[in-house]
Amino acid sequence: MTRLPAPIPPTGEPPESSIYASLTTNIPHPVMAYTSYPFAPSTALFPDAKVVLKYLNDYADHFHLRPHIQFKTTVKKVVWNASRWEVTTSANTVLSSDLVMVCNGHYRIPRYPDTPGMTQWLSSGRASHSATYRHPYDMGDTVLVVGGGPSGQDISAEMCTTARTVIHSVTSATAEDIGNLKRRGRVTHFGDNGRVTFENGSVETGIDHCILATGYEYSFPFFSEDVLRSAVPSPVPPLPSELYNSTYGVFPLARHLFPLTKTFPSSNLAFLGLLIHVAPFPLVEAQARAVLHAFANPEDLEPMQEAVDIMTRYEELRKKVGDDPRSIAKAWHHFETLEQFEYRNALYKFCVASDGDLNAAWLSAQNERSARVPEWEKEMYCKKILLRKAWKRVEELGKAEEWVKGIGQGGVHEWVNMTKRLEKWYEIEETKPKL
């Protein structure tokens, strides 16, 4: 296996970036791209981190954003002073603002399980969070990967290329052994000398290292407790009068964006990008439009209806995950497969342009994806796992450049047609006898 250079060393505590060397997108870039700016023609269908970084840099240049960005500057404090926000930065400057859009992401602060014995494994160096993972090397013969999300799946698959035995722990998984990969359920105890017990009572021993792909906490250290309380909110109804960060999300937010609180106007603060299991770029783009629309037209946010919508979702999640407030908080910002597209369409509808609306110029300049999510986008997203498998096979055969050469020069429909051809090709490829 060729050792790839680490894109960003795991410096800082926690690391400033969790990007590992082999990381690629897990959704096709035509679905991932902002509606206002596609990836360049001939881009690999599932681009790596360097390509995505170039895309973001090109986006910033295309829309002349750099003069408006303060690089190497941290927000230290955000305070509401009864009429405006006062924002203090690491450059010792204080900015006064009518609107604050919180876009700091939620993949920085590692979340660690409270499984018995975990603390000892971490302190001894036998366990580490996936935030520090860069390569599948030098971790011993037997490696345990905890977590069934995209990173857990990627890392366990990659570790299988270098470790003698890889144990992948996913809650409620059925125990099975496939080659050098052992699938197991949730870990219930981390014992001495590399011994681990699972939820079905089975035991694995001799584990050299454990990688915790257990997610991240939502963190907003620049807000004080009088703006954002650090706790899991009590069950509803009624809705709390204060804003809460449960570390799993922010509550209560109208449309997953606007705080429903009497401390400050809902349209003067917004939290973007909190949602999970979504294509983030086009979704956040739609959220930004909605935030600007609400700021220009605060009367369009109807507090009573927004409260009803929040309580309706709360009740739906209660029926799905149970009465425990923490379980509901965990599920709050998680969207089912097609829910993100319904959400985006609702935001587009909310932003319908009117005379003087900030979105009027936007709508006149954009394509079909800016007004309503097209069907091809939904279909491509739903087939992302199949397409990723097919693309990996294309890369293994050394045919990636051939497949994408010139694709996209004539518009996004070329990518749609290409992925349909790829799907059919892979179906045939899978019927061929394996050597």
Side-chain angles (χ1 to χ4, degrees), residues 205-235:
T205 59
I207 295 171
D208 295 302
H209 194 76
C210 171
I211 301 169
L212 298 166
T214 46
Y216 297 82
E217 297 183 0
Y218 289 73
S219 177
F220 310 94
F222 38 81
F223 284 125
S224 61
E225 287 286 313
D226 62 338
V227 174
L228 184 62
R229 293 192 59 186
S230 300
V232 176
S234 299

Side-chain angles (χ1 to χ4, degrees), residues 29-41 43 51 54-56 58-59 62-63 281 285 366-367 369 376 407-412 415:
H29 70 71
V31 173
M32 176 181 172
Y34 292 112
T35 67
S36 55
Y37 193 77
F39 276 77
T43 296
V51 174
K54 183 180 185 307
Y55 169 79
L56 293 174
D58 291 346
Y59 179 93
H62 178 81
F63 291 105
F281 290 175
E285 185 182 50
Q366 305 308 315
N367 56 38
R369 291 181 70 205
W376 69 259
I407 301 296
Q409 291 178 347
V412 72
W415 287 109

Side-chain angles (χ1 to χ4, degrees), residues 287-331:
Q287 287 184 325
R289 285 175 53 194
V291 171
L292 294 179
H293 177 89
F295 181 66
N297 307 274
E299 67 280 359
D300 285 358
L301 272 180
E302 302 178 14
M304 289 298 294
Q305 184 58 51
E306 299 293 349
V308 169
D309 291 345
I310 289 174
M311 288 190 285
T312 299
R313 177 170 175 80
Y314 196 96
E315 189 57 34
E316 290 172 350
L317 289 177
R318 191 205 307 270
K319 292 177 181 177
K320 183 178 180 180
V321 303
D323 294 333
D324 176 42
R326 185 174 297 275
S327 297
I328 294 173
K330 287 181 181 180

Side-chain angles (χ1 to χ4, degrees), residues 7 16 18 66 108-109 119 136 147 194 219 329 355 401-402 408 413 433:
E16 294 180 357
S18 57
R66 293 185 190 275
R108 176 74 194 279
I109 308 299
T119 302
S219 177
D355 291 340
E401 290 187 13
E402 175 186 331
H413 70 276

Side-chain angles (χ1 to χ4, degrees), residues 31 99 118 165 188 198 203 211 427 431:
V31 173
L99 169 64
M118 182 77 270
T165 302
T188 57
F198 297 93
V203 172
I211 301 169
E427 289 176 359
T431 63

